[in-house]
Each structure stands twice: as C-alpha cells, then as structure tokens.
Amino acid sequence: MVDGTEINDLAERRLDTARYGPTLAESAAMRGLAPFQTLSLVVFLALAALALWFWPGRVADGLIAVAAFTFLTLAIWRVVLILLSIAPLPGPPVPANWPRYTVLAALHDEADIVGQLVERLSRLNYPPDRLQGFLVLEAHDHETIAAALAAPRPDWLAVLVTPPGKPQTKPRALNFALTQATGELLTVYDAEDAPDPDQLREAAARFADDRPGRLACLQAPLRIRSPVSHDSRFTDRQFAAEYAGLFETTLPGMARLGLPFPLGGTSNHFRVDVLRAVGGWDAWNVTEDADLGFRLWSGGWRLGVMARPTWETPPGGLAHWLPQRTRWLKGHLQTWGVHTRRPLRLGWRGALALVMTLGAGLVSAAIHGLTLAWVAAAVLVSAMAGLSPETPVLALCVLVLGTASAWLSCAIGARRAGTPYDAGDMIRAPAYWALLSVAFVHAAWRLALDPFTWDKTPHQRDATGDAGASADADHETNDMLDATAPLRLSAGHAAAPQPVA
C-alpha cells in the first residue's frame, strides 16, 4: 500500500511520457476561424446581402422554404435509419485467441461511487490474465484516491494518478492512461456504468471478425435505468427515450450505411494501435468522444456498433441535466468548428454524417424553443381572436412529419432498450425539446467565455442495484461467450506498469 505522496511522486515521474491529444490544427485548443471557415462566412454574408438588396420581399419566403425542406429531409433520414436498424447484429464467431484488453475508468470526485464501479468491473467475463485496468484519478482528488485504494479490487485493476496540469478534463486523464496501456484493445467506462459482463468478449470477437482490418472502434449501446426520484421523473424519462433513440436506432442505422458518427462518452472499444496513431483524445474538447469518432474516420478508419449494453443512471433533475447538456452542446460546437476547418478530409460521406448528426442536432437545439413559442403564440392569438389558426400545408407537413419521426425513433428505441415510453411521454416531449434551446444558448455563451471548463455531472450510488444489467445479462448467450475458448499470450507488448496497490 502506498500513500498519497508516493502516488503523486509516481504521477510526476510519468509526466514526461504523457501524450496530450492531436495536433493543434485538429484540436479545439485552437480558437478562431480557419481560412476555409473565414472564406465561407464572407461568401455567405455577401450572398445574403445581395439577396436582401435585390430581392428583399422573397428572402423570408426563401428561408422558410429552405428550412422546411431541411427538416423534411431530417424526418426522412430518421425513418431510413430506423428501417436500417431493424435487422439484429449477427453474432461473430469465437476468436481463436483472446487479445489483451485494457479497461479505463476516469474518475473525479467520485469517492461515494468508486466502490460500486469496482464491483461492477470485477464482474467482467474476460480471462483475468488478459486484462489490464486502471482507475484513472486526479492527483488532488485525495478522497477518491483513498476510496479507490480501500476498495477490494481484482488483481488486474490498479489505481493510476494523472499528474497535475491543464486542462483538467477526462480526455487529458485518458491520454495519460493511454501511455500505460499494454492491451491490444481498450475500452472506457464512466463512474456510474454497469457494463454487460460479456461486453469485452463480444467486442474482441467483432474485431477479430473484421476481415478488411479497418474497424477502429465499436460503440456499445448505452441504456438508462428507470428514474429513482419522482422529482426528476420528467427529465429522466425523456432522457432515457432520447438515449434509446440514439443508441438503438440512429447509430446502428449509420453503422449499416458505413458512415461515421459521434461516439458516446463511455463503452467505446478501440484498437490501441489506431487510437495512438490518431493522437488519442482531444484534451481541450469537452465532448472528446464526438470529436474522436470523426477523427478516426478522417484517418481512414471505420466505426461499428455492438449488442451488449452498458446501463447508466439518468443525470437527475433540471439542476443536473442543464449543466450536462450545456457541456454536450458546447463540445458539439467545438467539434463542428474543428471538423469544418478542412471538411475535405472527411470526404462527402463523412461531411454528410457530420451535418446529419452534429449539425442537425445543433440547429434543432437552437430553434426548438423558438418553434414551440411560435406555435403556442399563433394558437393563442387565433383563439383570442375567435379564428382558426392558419395552417400552411408546408409548415403543417414539417411539423407533423418532424414530430412523428422523432416520436417513432424514441418509441422504437425505447422498446428495444426496455425503457418506458408511452403516449404521455410523447405529449410532454416538445417541452423537453424546448429545454434544449435553453441549454444551447448557455452553451454558446460558455463557448465564447469559458470554452474548456468541464461541467462535471455528479453521480450517486445506484439505489436500484443492477436490475437492468442483470436482466439483460440473463438473455440467451451464444457460442461467442464460451469462457473455455483458447487463450494466447500476445508477443511484442511492453511489460505492464507496476500497479499502485
């Protein structure tokens, strides 16, 4: 056993070996517009000025038509992804040899929950002699360090302390841990996660079954448990349905199309050599996961999805939901800025995926609140005047199809994930979408004034236990999960660092 001083000394000695992300041109650390972005903005403003000068009466109609066409396209896009995601993933064959696997969990101010996480990681059904794991902690976080050292950890799980420095973010801690990784494959979990015990086996099998050898990352589905507190029931249920729509329909559909997508912040499974080749995570991007998905694609690699889920708890009431969503939207703005500096690197398919995921999400978040306010005002004014509200066909089609496609994505995703989503949730969904506009305004403001601050979401010990994860793990297991599959020792790896224990 070592004390905090010795741990900090160890972190300092390893400081010179740490890599902190991609080049400046590919990082959110570089602020301001790139030449292409400046040129695009100047051309756009010039065309807008000319349109207002020569056709002032038609500009508003043109904008409405463009907006309507855009959102009709997004509605059709959602339906296409739903249809593509229907077929279940085929089970990959059992690999002849299980590769060495590194498991990372970056924690900060998580003393109350670290014991629960260790217990859950201990259940991972993977050969222990092929596992390396780190609880990656910050040097000043003495309470979490003490709790992690006191927790009964398996032999393969060690405590690794990140040296002090800026920015103090999760991706910086992960980059430091990457320098110590000896696995061929690597995954990342969050403090509140309850991964399916067989998730590593499925990922290893899918990587082994990748004949072209271009698969760099697999995203496991993230599923939200039912809310514990009635005080946050509204945000919890909407958040769970939103997650279900993303991880059960959107990402599987995009993977079927062979397109890149923004990764989730947890349960990503990587090839370590590829992760190092692209520079790891961007320590200055507060949604490093979204950025990394597109950076891998820019490097010529492919992303995929898997079936074994990870269960998480919802963020809670508005006081916790709003800072989390603000950080996500701020990071998506950062990621959009980074990957539009040189959009040709993405190719047309990558650029399409960027627009249809981050671009569409940002625009939708920006206008949801305004749209709801406009509809409510039109109905209210018409009612007070004793008239029927005007219903332009185009606007009505956009409203109906856009809303219906969003409901359909959430409903189908929720059914697949075992998440409750009923008619009452659908009726209340527009109010939840309107809250996204509040978060967007806050995110834009924070991006301008405080771009690199990481708004931490507090986590509490899960009072419901592992009911969701256990139920999912009880499903029929295929041959891929046979624990008796032959193992091999991988050659060419450096010796594992001495764990802090």
Side-chain angles (χ1 to χ4, degrees):
M1 185 75 70
V2 298
D3 61 22
T5 302
E6 291 171 324
I7 292 176
N8 289 341
D9 289 342
L10 175 63
E12 293 290 353
R13 287 199 301 272
R14 291 176 177 171
L15 179 59
D16 60 345
T17 68
R19 293 176 59 187
Y20 294 104
T23 63
L24 183 62
E26 297 177 319
S27 171
M30 188 181 84
R31 305 192 67 187
L33 297 178
F36 175 81
Q37 293 168 322
T38 301
L39 177 62
S40 299
L41 181 61
V42 169
V43 170
F44 173 78
L45 292 176
L47 292 175
L50 288 173
L52 286 171
W53 181 266
F54 289 105
W55 306 285
R58 298 182 181 178
V59 170
D61 292 338
L63 289 176
I64 292 173
V66 169
F69 175 79
T70 299
F71 286 101
L72 282 175
T73 301
L74 290 175
I76 296 170
W77 173 257
R78 282 198 194 101
V79 174
V80 169
L81 294 182
I82 291 170
L83 294 175
L84 288 171
S85 67
I86 290 175
L89 289 170
V94 178
N97 306 288
W98 294 110
R100 185 166 173 80
Y101 227 115
T102 297
V103 177
L104 303 181
L107 311 178
H108 185 221
D109 291 338
E110 305 283 9
D112 294 337
I113 201 174
V114 65
Q116 175 182 272
L117 175 64
V118 169
E119 180 184 352
R120 290 170 173 174
L121 294 181
S122 300
R123 301 175 192 165
L124 290 174
N125 180 24
Y126 203 80
D129 62 330
R130 312 303 296 144
L131 279 176
Q132 175 201 41
F134 293 119
L135 301 175
V136 190
L137 311 178
E138 298 289 342
H140 69 275
D141 190 4
H142 302 296
E143 289 188 9
T144 307
I145 292 174
L149 292 174
R153 291 170 283 115
D155 293 339
W156 57 265
L157 185 59
V159 176
L160 183 67
V161 178
T162 305
K166 298 293 183 180
Q168 186 180 294
T169 59
K170 172 186 172 182
R172 178 180 180 272
L174 292 177
N175 277 336
F176 178 70
L178 182 59
T179 67
Q180 311 300 316
T182 61
E184 298 169 48
L185 302 177
L186 178 148
T187 189
V188 177
Y189 292 120
D190 281 347
E192 77 277 21
D193 284 356
D196 185 297
D198 292 308
Q199 193 177 104
L200 301 191
R201 286 179 175 262
E202 182 191 353
R206 293 197 181 280
F207 277 113
D209 193 45
D210 175 39
R211 303 303 181 194
R214 304 308 298 172
L215 180 63
C217 177
L218 288 166
Q219 173 67 61
L222 305 182
R223 295 176 180 172
I224 304 299
R225 291 192 181 90
S226 299
V228 177
S229 172
H230 288 287
D231 295 337
S232 60
R233 182 178 177 84
F234 166 68
T235 52
D236 287 348
R237 287 176 68 97
Q238 295 293 332
F239 184 85
E242 182 183 27
Y243 251 45
L246 175 64
F247 289 101
E248 309 292 340
T249 64
T250 300
L251 298 193
M254 296 192 72
R256 295 267 181 185
L257 291 172
L259 296 176
F261 48 80
L263 299 172
T266 174
S267 305
N268 325 121
H269 298 258
F270 300 98
R271 280 179 49 184
V272 172
D273 57 341
V274 175
L275 187 56
R276 285 177 171 147
V278 300
W281 294 269
D282 183 1
W284 301 91
N285 192 317
V286 297
T287 53
E288 79 294 337
D289 43 358
D291 166 75
L292 185 53
F294 289 101
R295 190 147 41 85
L296 287 168
W297 172 269
S298 297
W301 300 98
R302 186 170 61 87
L303 282 64
V305 296
M306 49 192 296
R308 296 285 180 178
T310 292
W311 292 88
E312 293 189 324
T313 53
L318 193 61
H320 296 316
W321 178 91
L322 183 59
Q324 183 190 65
R325 189 51 56 100
T326 295
R327 175 173 64 82
W328 288 0
L329 289 171
K330 182 172 75 170
H332 290 173
L333 287 168
Q334 288 179 316
T335 302
W336 176 266
V338 167
H339 290 282
T340 54
R341 290 171 186 165
R342 294 184 291 172
L344 294 180
R345 294 189 65 215
L346 288 170
W348 74 267
R349 296 175 71 235
L352 172 67
L354 183 72
V355 169
M356 300 303 282
T357 54
L358 296 189
L362 289 169
V363 172
S364 297
I367 70 170
H368 270 314
L370 293 174
T371 302
L372 184 63
W374 176 76
V375 171
V379 171
L380 182 61
V381 169
S382 298
M384 293 178 64
L387 302 172
S388 298
E390 293 186 9
T391 55
V393 174
L394 185 61
L396 188 62
C397 288
V398 170
L399 180 63
V400 171
L401 288 179
T403 303
S405 66
W407 280 342
L408 185 64
S409 179
C410 289
I412 292 177
R415 182 172 182 178
R416 294 173 182 171
T419 299
Y421 192 68
D422 55 27
D425 295 310
M426 292 182 178
I427 293 172
R428 289 186 288 270
Y432 179 79
W433 300 338
L435 289 175
L436 295 175
S437 296
V438 178
F440 179 85
V441 172
H442 194 197
W445 179 257
R446 292 291 301 278
L447 180 64
L449 300 182
D450 195 13
F452 308 124
T453 296
W454 187 281
D455 293 308
K456 178 74 170 59
T457 304
H459 299 120
Q460 296 180 351
R461 191 172 181 86
D462 184 9
T464 65
D466 292 326
S470 299
D472 196 89
D474 286 341
H475 289 173
E476 183 177 354
T477 303
N478 58 35
D479 292 340
M480 176 193 69
L481 307 176
D482 182 7
T484 63
L487 309 178
R488 68 175 173 86
L489 293 177
S490 299
H493 285 301
Q498 292 299 315
V500 178

